[in-house]
Amino acid sequence: MEDDNRRVYCATFDAEQYWRDPMLAKLPFIPDRNAQRIVSVMDELMFLFCQPGDAILTRKPFNPVQKQYLQSIGFDFESNVFDLDPRSELDKCIFQLLCESDNKLQVSPFLEGQSILAPFAVLPYAAQVCESYNLQCFSPGNEIVQNVNSKLYSHQMKDRLDIRNVGVIVHSSEELHSEGQKLLSAGDFLIKDLFGVSGKGNLLVQSSQTLDRMVSYITSQEQKGKYTQFVLEPLLHKKDDFSCQFYISAQGETTFIAVSKLLNDGFAYTESSTPDESFMQFLEAGNYFILMERLAKELFKDGYYGHVCVDSMILEDGEMVPLIEINARKSMSLIKHQVDQYLQQYELRGNLSFLSVSSERPDFSYEQLLNTLHDEGLLYSPANRKGVLPLSASTLEINKSTMKAAKGRLYYSIVSPEAEEKKRLNEQLRSCFSMHSYRIYN
């Protein structure tokens, strides 16, 4: 990219909450601290971007068993042994933790002045971190990043690119009711939070009763001084979800990186995989990449450069919807691409998925899990050319305590040259978890 200096990768994966105006009315949601803790340690996934000499800075010390395994299969990166979040301040992004750290005697030498800060997403406090720790940062300002990540921006971009736009913006509970009734007369519709992500921030309305409850809920927030802005869209009957990853340089040059097919559970991400050649030809014939090039130019015109992930879909009737929303940051599909970059040297490809589980055995450690996978011939290594490649450890362990039913998540890639064998390996992985007193939720 812009420089060959040492890079320090870091992440706060629920970036959207830090771009969101606290005075903006919200859709109803149930806070889940267990899930929030899991998301907070997804930053371990950033090791996939590291080249030899680079480092990954995580909220919690990088799991040493996981690091040893990753080094054994060829990954080479530095990681912190200190705890950046000893008080579990989950509402603070990693940049705020760095700014307020009581442990700068350890943090400063690890960051090494003049290293390049390479975040998952640009968030508040990023500029202060670069200044405080003498880091280089090749990214636009937070206000620009916040603007282009709003669903309002994605909605307006459809008009700028002459894409069919079925959505409408509402600015009050009254407009929500009137526009919602119009949409409901034709079928189900979605209320979209301007900064909702991965299953949070999209609400499906299928009846007048649901709409009335939402109007009442938003009205009560307006009465407390909040302001309203939502995108309403008819529910589209989709056949395929997919995304396109590209990079805009500081000079405005666009580099296409990958396309990923997505498997979603409702509105939440569950898996990324590589599309076949016929799918790519379909996109090419529909001028999809020409449109993405135009989109990149518009983003750069508005001051943004860096990684972009565009969510798209194909409807049941074959119509392509090229722009659902713009994610001006790294993405899970880009992480999947990084897995492929690693596997390419062995002429292999994987997917990116996760198991959402709870453990009935807090004494069953991550090291025991890796040993079990190894003993059963399931653990990936370059020598066996297939298997389960675990990508995160802390997401599985973070909620473990003496209590039972600790929720966790294992991110992994299934590696095999054969599609049928990938299915078999996935089934064996699930059986392995079940045998060791894990309950699987997805």
Side-chain angles (χ1 to χ4, degrees), residues 197-308:
V197 64
S198 191
K200 296 182 293 185
N202 284 347
L203 192 141
L204 178 61
V205 178
Q206 298 177 294
S207 68
S208 295
Q209 291 83 359
T210 301
L211 176 59
D212 290 342
R213 283 197 298 271
M214 289 309 101
V215 169
S216 176
Y217 185 77
I218 300 304
T219 300
S220 67
Q221 293 180 67
E222 290 174 338
Q223 290 168 348
K224 295 173 184 174
K226 298 285 181 80
Y227 72 95
T228 297
Q229 206 166 39
F230 295 107
V231 178
L232 309 188
E233 291 180 356
L235 181 66
L236 300 175
H237 299 287
K238 64 188 176 185
K239 177 187 173 189
D240 291 305
D241 284 306
F242 67 100
S243 67
C244 178
Q245 291 75 52
F246 55 87
Y247 181 81
I248 307 169
S249 75
Q251 293 74 41
E253 297 170 353
T254 304
T255 303
F256 284 99
I257 298 172
V259 170
S260 293
K261 289 191 79 170
L262 306 176
L263 180 63
N264 292 327
D265 181 6
F267 306 116
Y269 168 90
T270 60
E271 183 178 332
S272 296
S273 61
T274 303
D276 59 26
E277 189 60 34
S278 65
F279 188 85
M280 297 299 287
Q281 289 171 354
F282 173 81
L283 299 186
E284 194 80 51
N287 295 321
Y288 178 78
F289 298 105
I290 292 172
L291 189 65
M292 291 300 106
E293 184 80 42
R294 288 175 57 204
L295 171 56
K297 287 188 167 96
E298 293 299 312
L299 280 163
F300 186 71
K301 191 188 299 181
D302 291 339
Y304 182 78
Y305 52 94
H307 281 284
V308 182

Side-chain angles (χ1 to χ4, degrees), residues 42-73:
M42 284 175 64
D43 54 6
E44 275 192 351
L45 293 167
M46 297 294 284
F47 79 86
L48 284 157
F49 294 95
C50 291
Q51 297 298 314
D54 290 341
I56 174 174
L57 176 67
T58 49
R59 292 176 82 103
K60 298 293 182 182
F62 200 98
N63 185 290
V65 174
Q66 173 72 350
K67 187 174 182 181
Q68 185 178 18
Y69 164 68
L70 293 172
Q71 288 174 328
S72 75
I73 61 171

Side-chain angles (χ1 to χ4, degrees), residues 368-391:
Q368 288 173 292
L369 174 64
L370 285 194
N371 288 338
T372 301
L373 292 175
H374 177 269
D375 293 345
E376 294 185 11
L378 284 174
L379 189 64
Y380 169 79
S381 71
N384 60 24
R385 291 184 55 80
K386 64 180 181 181
V388 177
L389 170 50
L391 300 173

Side-chain angles (χ1 to χ4, degrees), residues 164-181:
R164 185 167 78 95
N165 194 348
V166 296
V168 61
I169 306 295
V170 296
H171 300 88
S172 67
S173 54
E174 290 86 356
E175 285 187 13
L176 172 60
H177 184 263
S178 61
E179 295 295 334
Q181 288 284 16

